[in-house]
Amino acid sequence: MSYFNFEIVHKSKKSRARVGKIHTPHGIIDTPNFVGVGTNGTMKSLDNNLVSDIGLQLMFCNTYHLLVQPGKEVIKKAGGLHKFINRNLPIITDSGGFQVFSLAYGSVDGELKSKGKKAENKSVLKITEEGVLFRSYRDGAKILLTPESSVQAQKAFGADIIIPFDELPPYHIKNEYLKSSLDRTHRWEKRSLDEHQKDRQNQAMYGVIHGGIDKDLRDKSCKYLSSLDFDGYAIGGSVGKNTGEMMDMLSFTLPLLTEDKPNHLLGIGDTFSLSQALPLGIDTFDSSYPTKAARHGLLLCEEHNVKISKREHAFSHEPIDPGCECFTCKNYLRAYLHHLFKSNELIFYSLATIHNLHFMVQLMKNYRQKIMEDLL
């Protein structure tokens, strides 16, 4: 198809890593690459033109949140998400399925600590074969999200890459429920694909591989979804309670996927996980880690990350990273950033986020070069 194509530029001789290009209606995504999370159509504290200038090629927006506020009709009337948020570069939207997990069980960290106990949050009212009944976090209104309505919303948004509706069960559940959840997710994904294929609208759809850390279930998911007409694959579900379990699962799963389609690792994008997963052949990663880290005063650097709240930085008249070419490092010193953070000045969040996103963009450029030279 002319509107979406994955081009492999180079395969490393040292690992399964590869350099490629994902061609979309709104531009090319160089791979492997980091995908910033703009839940509500914005990277927190940054204007979208600035995000584009930094070099972020793909933004991940959240269907559930955009459905609740401002609503799909508002975005559709504006001419789609690209025009609504003024971003003429590729956008990927999720299905809202992640909320089945996060609203029912809390955050990933909280779910692991509670060992699968239900969170007090009552936003998820019912999960059935039809879909998921939510209570809006905004006004309490009931919202039924189904495979069909999720895809219809993503059609209205006009994202370049869309995700079928799925359930993300927690790590600590019985294997019987994991199996039944996988089967239901496969049915939901098939219904999503059927709805998508009624009118593709120049959008690509990635199938989401599930199965937790159960290799038999991951194998089953890969085989079933590979038999369907998806344009690429996203690896979702619980990826394990630590990096070791995740790497073991990815090492098993990735060779099961066809090499001529792009793959995406959902929700993982911290620098250590990136370094471990890239040699396995992951093409894109999404994570809110760099922007969250920025808001908490953690500034990413090649050697040692900077915790700007530390007293030592109050007297440091050097940039965050002397070798960095970002706007923040070229114009401001650590002492000033320390002052802004301690004073709770809002501009700190923007300056810190600029630096961290620039760091991630440059990091991925460096990784692509290493793969091209067969060093990774």
Side-chain angles (χ1 to χ4, degrees):
M1 67 196 78
S2 59
Y3 58 85
F4 184 87
N5 179 53
F6 179 52
E7 170 192 0
I8 297 177
V9 176
H10 179 77
K11 294 181 181 180
S12 174
K13 294 181 176 63
K14 189 174 182 180
S15 69
R16 289 180 54 85
R18 72 257 189 100
V19 170
K21 293 179 181 291
I22 301 174
H23 298 261
T24 79
H26 289 91
I28 295 173
I29 305 154
D30 295 305
T31 65
N33 216 330
F34 169 77
V35 183
V37 175
T39 299
N40 290 301
T42 178
M43 306 290 291
K44 290 189 187 302
S45 80
L46 295 188
D47 168 73
N48 283 323
N49 282 316
L50 181 54
V51 171
S52 298
D53 290 343
I54 291 171
L56 193 76
Q57 294 181 324
L58 184 60
M59 179 188 288
F60 203 113
C61 298
N62 185 277
T63 294
Y64 171 72
H65 285 87
L66 292 173
L67 266 177
V68 173
Q69 170 64 37
K72 72 174 183 179
E73 295 305 323
V74 172
I75 295 174
K76 185 177 182 179
K77 189 173 181 180
L81 198 52
H82 293 87
K83 290 185 179 179
F84 185 65
I85 70 174
N86 192 28
R87 175 181 167 83
N88 195 33
L89 287 171
I91 293 174
I92 180 173
T93 49
D94 69 357
S95 66
F98 177 73
Q99 274 62 43
V100 175
F101 169 71
S102 63
L103 295 178
Y105 293 93
S107 68
V108 174
D109 286 341
E111 186 274 321
L112 290 176
K113 290 174 183 176
S114 68
K115 299 189 183 299
K117 293 180 181 178
K118 287 274 187 178
E120 291 301 316
N121 193 315
K122 301 298 183 182
S123 295
V124 174
L125 302 177
K126 187 183 293 186
I127 303 173
T128 67
E129 185 66 26
E130 184 180 8
V132 181
L133 186 66
F134 290 96
R135 190 182 296 281
S136 168
Y137 65 83
R138 185 173 177 82
D139 58 11
K142 293 180 180 180
I143 301 172
L144 178 63
L145 197 57
T146 68
E148 291 76 16
S149 66
S150 171
V151 172
Q152 289 161 8
Q154 294 180 80
K155 292 292 180 187
F157 298 159
D160 300 275
I161 302 169
I162 65 178
I163 300 293
F165 193 57
D166 62 343
E167 180 185 3
L168 199 165
Y171 179 85
H172 295 286
I173 61 168
K174 293 181 179 179
N175 197 252
E176 292 145 8
Y177 183 83
L178 182 60
K179 289 179 180 178
S180 65
S181 172
L182 177 66
D183 290 339
R184 180 167 56 200
T185 279
H186 284 167
R187 294 191 294 272
W188 282 355
E189 292 198 57
K190 177 62 166 62
R191 284 167 56 190
S192 298
L193 183 61
D194 290 344
E195 184 67 23
H196 167 56
Q197 290 181 328
K198 290 178 182 178
D199 184 7
R200 286 182 177 270
Q201 295 184 17
N202 290 343
Q203 293 173 298
M205 178 178 275
Y206 284 9
V208 184
I209 308 296
H210 276 270
I213 60 170
D214 187 305
K215 292 181 179 178
D216 289 338
L217 295 184
R218 286 286 176 180
D219 179 67
K220 177 181 179 180
S221 191
C222 287
K223 286 177 179 175
Y224 175 70
L225 296 176
S226 294
S227 72
L228 303 178
D229 188 23
F230 287 109
D231 303 299
Y233 302 98
I235 298 174
S238 177
V239 295
K241 64 182 179 182
N242 54 48
T243 304
E245 282 193 348
M246 180 174 71
M247 291 306 129
D248 184 55
M249 181 275 292
L250 291 175
S251 297
F252 173 81
T253 303
L254 285 165
L256 302 176
L257 298 174
T258 178
E259 290 189 348
D260 61 352
K261 293 182 179 181
N263 63 67
H264 179 91
L265 182 58
L266 286 163
I268 303 295
D270 62 280
T271 52
F272 179 72
S273 294
L274 282 175
S275 69
Q276 299 299 298
L278 275 169
L280 303 180
I282 296 289
D283 297 310
T284 50
F285 310 73
D286 76 271
S287 176
S288 59
Y289 168 73
T291 49
K292 282 185 177 178
R295 296 194 298 277
H296 287 88
L298 181 65
L299 306 174
L300 307 179
C301 296
E302 188 172 350
E303 293 295 328
H304 301 287
N305 294 337
V306 171
K307 187 66 175 175
I308 202 66
S309 62
K310 289 186 176 180
R311 181 67 177 165
E312 64 194 68
H313 301 303
F315 305 94
S316 178
H317 290 78
E318 64 176 7
I320 300 165
D321 187 343
C324 180
E325 291 293 316
C326 80
F327 173 84
T328 304
C329 285
K330 289 196 293 185
N331 289 280
Y332 300 102
L333 304 175
R334 291 188 188 186
Y336 180 58
L337 295 171
H338 172 87
H339 159 67
L340 292 177
F341 184 77
K342 287 293 187 179
S343 302
N344 295 316
E345 289 289 347
L346 296 180
I347 189 63
F348 171 81
Y349 303 125
S350 298
L351 294 175
T353 303
I354 287 170
H355 170 79
N356 279 3
L357 282 184
H358 180 273
F359 173 86
M360 295 302 296
V361 168
Q362 293 303 125
L363 178 68
M364 299 313 297
K365 282 184 179 178
N366 293 338
Y367 275 133
R368 290 195 293 271
Q369 186 59 41
K370 288 181 179 179
I371 295 170
M372 290 294 294
E373 297 174 2
D374 298 314
L375 298 175
L376 179 66

